[in-house]
Amino acid sequence: MTVRVPAKVNVQLSVGPLREDGYHDLVNVFHAVSIFDEVVAKESESITVQVDGKWSDQVPVDDTNLAIRAARALAKHAGRTYGADLVIQKDIPVAGGMAGGSADAAGALVACNELWGLGLPIEDLMEIAGDLGSDVPFSLIGGTAVGTGRGEQLSELPTGGTFHWVFALANGGLSTASVYAECDRLRAATGAQVPWPQLNDSLMEALGTGDAYALGSNLSNDLQAAALNLRPELAPTLDAGRQHGALGAIVSGSGPTCAFLAIDATHARDLAQSLTATGAAHTAVAAHGPVQGAVLI
Ligand code: C5P
């Protein structure tokens, strides 16, 4: 069984006050883009994982691996002991703010559901996914969707066209938990009350009509200031993208990947080339969205 799963960028990430369970209530507008990991599941006695491809040396293959945890959670849900050898072909940056780990968990759920002949409906997989991580349910469905709660309660959004993006990959990752903690620290320092997150209506309209210019000027990420504080070298990368005509430039999720919205596919290719040629990014990848979530191929 081979499942292909996309990366995501958050076109709006509004972070509410810190909750008692250590999470934050969000308005999180997810958008799946055409950078993919593949998860292959083969019959086996026990559950194991192997990671190949880019950055594979940065992914743990022990019990903390999210794909192993996903397969175990699925077997537990089915009430039986199952085995699977999982092989992940990685293309999504590790700890990059693009939901790479969540993608692998979603891929493992879909692949093992098929391998083990469980036939569980997507609703069951979504529930298991939400327990594994806030972004895992979105990786299952893909497309464009608004996430509330921790980000795991989703409603899908129809979009009026394809958007073209460039992603500037950074050296080394950022821990999501530490970026949220830095966000809390910055907020505590100002003493201001944190407002309840609200969906941006202009952003919704831009997505619905497929208006890249309007989408570009409405991109927002409440974690950006925290990510820039932890990785100040990202600020000139964002500036360079804007100077090369990006319609919008933001840190992707908790970073450190930077996302640039381009006018069209040609502009995305040119922008990616300019970012690497000028040294503003060591690697820049063009992609488009929305694309579908975890799918058997
Ligand atoms: O859900 P997930 O395990 O991906 O979250 C990783 C960390 O990110 C959490 O432990 C928490 O510190 C932070 N987080 C948060 N609020 C959210 C989602 C994640 O504070 N809505």
Side-chain angles (χ1 to χ4, degrees):
M1 302 302 155
T2 302
V3 176
R4 196 179 75 161
V5 207
K8 61 86 188 160
V9 59
N10 307 85
V11 290
Q12 179 185 348
L13 181 45
S14 296
V15 179
L18 179 63
R19 309 192 317 199
E20 280 188 358
D21 64 0
Y23 284 86
H24 299 74
D25 276 300
L26 306 177
V27 165
N28 190 349
V29 184
F30 295 101
H31 181 70
V33 294
S34 60
I35 299 173
F36 301 99
D37 280 0
E38 272 181 22
V39 181
V40 179
K42 294 183 199 138
E43 275 179 52
S44 177
E45 295 285 297
S46 57
I47 296 174
T48 67
V49 71
Q50 178 191 322
V51 185
D52 295 335
K54 290 180 200 158
W55 310 288
S56 52
D57 55 330
Q58 295 169 36
V59 183
V61 291
D62 59 14
D63 284 359
T64 61
N65 184 287
L66 211 48
I68 288 200
R69 287 177 45 210
R72 291 228 168 101
L74 184 68
K76 190 170 170 211
H77 180 94
R80 284 205 26 208
T81 309
Y82 290 100
D85 286 334
L86 303 169
V87 181
I88 298 169
Q89 187 68 35
K90 271 222 89 60
D91 211 19
I92 305 175
V94 177
M98 298 195 77
S102 302
D104 300 343
L109 287 177
V110 173
C112 292
N113 189 34
E114 195 71 18
L115 179 73
W116 298 336
L118 301 177
L120 291 178
I122 183 76
E123 293 76 19
D124 288 27
L125 298 184
M126 294 284 275
E127 206 179 301
I128 301 167
D131 290 338
L132 291 164
S134 310
D135 293 353
V136 184
F138 176 72
S139 297
L140 282 173
I141 63 165
T144 305
V146 181
T148 51
R150 287 186 286 122
E152 86 288 13
Q153 294 160 28
L154 295 171
S155 51
E156 292 177 62
L157 275 180
T159 46
T162 295
F163 297 102
H164 297 274
W165 297 89
V166 173
F167 296 95
L169 313 189
N171 279 321
L174 270 176
S175 130
T176 305
S178 62
V179 177
Y180 273 100
E182 179 68 5
C183 175
D184 289 336
R185 198 188 64 76
L186 291 174
R187 286 173 164 185
T190 72
Q193 202 173 354
V194 179
W196 191 253
Q198 302 285 345
L199 194 56
N200 176 349
D201 291 336
S202 307
L203 178 92
M204 291 296 101
E205 201 180 317
L207 288 167
T209 55
D211 183 341
Y213 288 83
L215 178 60
S217 56
N218 279 287
L219 296 172
S220 69
N221 180 0
D222 281 356
L223 293 179
Q224 181 155 313
L228 291 180
N229 243 24
L230 297 172
R231 298 288 287 273
E233 69 274 20
L234 299 179
T237 307
L238 291 173
D239 285 343
R242 292 185 193 106
Q243 276 158 23
H244 287 103
L247 303 178
I250 49 167
V251 169
S252 178
S254 54
T257 306
C258 291
F260 304 93
L261 186 62
I263 298 165
D264 54 24
T266 309
H267 181 219
R269 265 197 310 274
D270 292 348
L271 183 54
Q273 220 164 31
S274 308
L275 286 170
T276 46
T278 56
H282 67 82
T283 309
V285 182
H288 63 270
V291 295
Q292 64 180 321
V295 65
L296 278 164
I297 54 173

